[in-house]
Amino acid sequence: MADVATDERVQGLDLEARVVRYADLRPCYNAFIDSRTPGSESKENFTIIGPGVSENPDQHVHIPEPHGFNIGGARQPPECANSQHSHDTAEVFVVHAGHWRFDFGEHGDDAHIKAGPGDVVSFPIHAFRGFRNIGDRPGFLWSVLGGDDPGRVTWAPRVFELAKDYGLMLLDNGALIDTAAGQVPPAGTAPLTPTSRAQIEALRVMRPQDEDEVLWRAPTTRSAGETLVIGNGGALPPADGFTLSQIVVEAGGAIDGHGEVVFVQEGDVEVAVDGRTVQLGVGDTMTIPAGLSPLYASESGATLIAVRRT
């Protein structure tokens, strides 16, 4: 029966429809309550697979199919920041481009981590974090959020204060409204109460010595094969609901995989599934149905990031 189900899935499989190309990403400029705060107003947010945690119901979702996790992205110019916040599920960033600083704590001064291209930053749940592009050119972060429904963002109190000054209000149902444009809360809704001191004190406090739990630096010398970054036995602790690996395909080589979401960090790769092929380039994301076995091949060599449901 499993073989029949697999055959039916392959017969109707359109590989190109399962690819989100970097050039086709559709950004949202007002996804969150801090999108008008000076220093944060130029960021672009992307929901690549799943709805993510966007507070704007109009944000475009490229692939809505549930995977057990969400894939997104953030593109920011130099010195653009994402405000201090916390999540109820795991949040992982792969630095695709640029140089970044990740700041922990309500005010971003508990600990700091710097990361560059290829590095992976895995945040524990229930801990304030923010991030800033500290490079001299636009940067892009590819992200994973645990769960089909990763819940809502918990913002530091200062974020609410600044948002009010610039005409944005977050409601208790999780929706964002534009008071500067004359919008008012719909009947039965009210502004979300800012995060309380008791809620803040219940969050984890991150320290500089926690870096080894949070940061994986991409090796400068890479050998063909797969390296488990997040998961049991990996370089970083397990995350809820998924593993994350780096896959290196040597020039002229090929590597077998299985059902997964794959992101091209470097190079070009051909993905083959049951005789069908599709070409991926730098920054492209592809989802392959569970139970199918892709083959990754590259003429010039490639580095991929693979995320799999556990």
Side-chain angles (χ1 to χ4, degrees):
M1 185 64 69
D3 291 340
V4 171
T6 299
D7 289 345
E8 291 175 348
R9 189 159 58 241
V10 170
Q11 288 172 11
L13 187 62
D14 180 353
L15 294 185
E16 186 61 40
R18 304 188 71 84
V19 175
V20 179
R21 301 199 178 276
Y22 185 82
D24 296 333
L25 287 173
R26 291 172 57 177
C28 183
Y29 293 94
N30 55 351
F32 297 106
I33 190 175
D34 69 336
S35 59
R36 287 187 187 152
T37 301
S40 297
E41 74 277 15
S42 300
K43 63 182 179 178
E44 302 172 80
N45 290 95
F46 306 93
T47 47
I48 300 173
I49 297 176
V53 289
S54 175
E55 293 159 351
N56 187 335
D58 295 326
Q59 174 146 10
H60 178 71
V61 178
H62 288 81
I63 296 178
E65 175 188 337
H67 281 61
F69 50 82
N70 287 247
I71 301 294
R75 186 164 56 206
Q76 298 176 194
E79 292 307 315
C80 184
N82 191 295
S83 303
Q84 300 306 112
H85 65 283
S86 174
H87 288 287
D88 292 333
T89 66
E91 180 181 39
V92 172
F93 285 116
V94 177
V95 180
H96 178 57
H99 293 272
W100 299 78
R101 191 185 72 224
F102 300 88
D103 304 314
F104 294 94
E106 178 185 355
H107 304 288
D109 53 9
D110 288 348
H112 309 281
I113 289 175
K114 293 181 180 179
D119 294 344
V120 175
V121 183
S122 180
F123 299 106
I125 64 172
H126 303 149
F128 274 136
R129 81 295 305 264
F131 46 91
R132 177 183 298 272
N133 178 357
I134 60 173
D136 58 3
R137 62 188 62 189
F140 182 81
L141 299 172
W142 190 80
S143 66
V144 189
L145 284 170
D148 286 323
D149 179 5
R152 297 183 190 175
V153 178
T154 298
W155 295 100
R158 179 63 173 159
V159 178
F160 291 88
E161 298 171 14
L162 290 170
K164 184 177 180 180
D165 292 342
Y166 293 95
L168 290 176
M169 179 187 297
L170 189 60
L171 303 181
D172 58 8
N173 65 359
L176 191 65
I177 65 169
D178 187 347
T179 59
Q183 294 180 352
V184 297
T189 64
L192 181 66
T193 301
T195 308
S196 69
R197 184 53 46 189
Q199 289 174 304
I200 293 171
E201 291 176 353
L203 297 178
R204 176 175 173 179
V205 176
M206 301 296 292
R207 300 300 184 194
Q209 57 266 33
D210 296 324
E211 179 173 310
D212 290 344
E213 178 186 343
V214 175
L215 174 65
W216 178 78
R217 294 202 182 279
T220 55
T221 302
R222 302 173 191 176
S223 301
E226 181 170 345
T227 299
L228 180 63
V229 179
I230 296 175
N232 289 318
L236 297 177
D240 50 332
F242 63 90
T243 64
L244 184 144
S245 299
Q246 181 193 76
I247 297 175
V248 176
V249 184
E250 64 183 357
I255 290 180
D256 288 315
H258 53 81
E260 58 197 12
V261 170
V262 66
F263 172 74
V264 183
Q265 174 70 18
E266 297 177 356
D268 296 288
V269 64
E270 179 185 80
V271 183
V273 180
D274 197 57
R276 294 168 170 81
T277 63
V278 66
Q279 297 287 335
L280 302 182
V282 173
D284 293 346
T285 300
M286 180 179 182
T287 172
I288 301 160
L292 300 184
S293 299
L295 178 71
Y296 303 118
S298 177
E299 289 299 317
S300 59
T303 301
L304 315 175
I305 298 294
V307 180
R308 300 173 180 125
R309 185 199 305 248
T310 56

